[in-house]
């Protein structure tokens, strides 16, 4: 789907457990400028409900599971994240909704820019109107 993709990270596995390294610009296709994590979310809550003009992000379910609905004006997909060695890349102009957080789950987000509220599009009609796919520019 446009501006999205599943990424598989390396796993170093031995009798002591598993370790997954994630390096900025190597495993992640951008320089990581910000990290945040979402946790303590009740199972009936939907978060996100926005897109970004510039921001690139990779979402990783570090523990538990969470569903991510990714949408463009013409496409929609739901992806369940549950594997800490897997990331979901979401680029600019993709609408996202996070829901069905399992009890005790933690969603880690790696982001290409510092927090900037001006980069958000939180209104779905505005998102469709401003979307370059909709304007036929790409
Ligand atoms: P919000 O983007 O609404 O969360 P979600 O998309 O998961 O529903 O952010 C919730 C609050 O946290 C809001 O007040 C903005 C603040 N926030 C920061 O201060 N820094 C950040 O990096 C992020 C992502 C949010």
């Amino acid at each position: 789907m446009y501006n999205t993709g599943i990424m598989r990270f390396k796993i170093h596995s031995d009798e002591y457990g598993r370790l997954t390294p994630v390096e900025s610009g190597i495993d992640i296709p951008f320089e990581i400028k910000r990290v945040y994590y979402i946790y303590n979310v009740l199972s009936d809550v939907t978060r996100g409900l926005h897109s970004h003009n510039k921001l690139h992000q990779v979402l990783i379910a570090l523990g538990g599971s969470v569903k991510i609905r990714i949408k463009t004006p013409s496409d929609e997909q739901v992806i369940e994240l549950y594997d800490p060695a897997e990331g979901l890349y979401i680029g600019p102009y993709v609408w996202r909704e996070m829901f069905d957080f399992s009890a005790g789950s933690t969603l880690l987000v790696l982001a290409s820019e510092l927090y900037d509220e001006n980069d958000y599009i939180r209104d779905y009609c505005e998102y469709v109107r401003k979307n370059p796919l909709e304007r036929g520019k790409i």
Side-chain angles (χ1 to χ4, degrees):
M1 195 174 134
Y2 170 74
N3 259 356
T4 61
I6 290 287
M7 318 180 59
R8 297 282 323 163
F9 305 124
K10 287 180 283 261
I11 301 173
H12 296 278
S13 191
D14 57 27
E15 65 268 40
Y16 303 107
R18 289 183 163 192
L19 183 153
T20 290
V22 176
E23 294 184 284
S24 179
I26 299 173
D27 305 291
I28 300 296
F30 51 80
E31 186 196 343
I32 300 167
K33 288 200 186 150
R34 176 167 53 110
V35 171
Y36 62 93
Y37 32 98
I38 298 171
Y39 53 103
N40 266 6
V41 182
L42 296 176
S43 61
D44 59 351
V45 165
T46 298
R47 301 190 58 116
L49 295 156
H50 65 256
S51 81
H52 288 279
N53 293 314
K54 270 178 60 182
L55 193 70
H56 302 264
Q57 295 189 305
V58 173
L59 284 60
I60 303 169
L62 283 189
S65 64
V66 54
K67 291 189 183 124
I68 319 288
R69 179 176 294 110
I70 41 180
K71 274 167 99 163
T72 66
S74 57
D75 211 353
E76 177 171 337
Q77 206 178 330
V78 173
I79 289 169
E80 183 167 22
L81 294 178
Y82 52 84
D83 181 351
E86 189 173 277
L88 173 63
Y89 166 77
I90 306 180
Y93 290 110
V94 177
W95 188 264
R96 83 287 315 267
E97 299 171 5
M98 294 89 95
F99 63 103
D100 265 2
F101 286 80
S102 69
S105 59
T106 300
L107 180 66
L108 176 72
V109 183
L110 311 175
S112 65
E113 305 294 336
L114 301 180
Y115 178 71
D116 176 10
E117 183 59 34
N118 293 322
D119 189 59
Y120 281 71
I121 306 172
R122 293 190 183 273
D123 177 72
Y124 190 74
C125 293
E126 183 189 348
Y127 161 72
V128 171
R129 211 169 49 242
K130 287 188 174 169
N131 196 289
L133 285 170
E134 200 62 5
R135 297 200 310 257
K137 289 198 176 156
I138 49 176

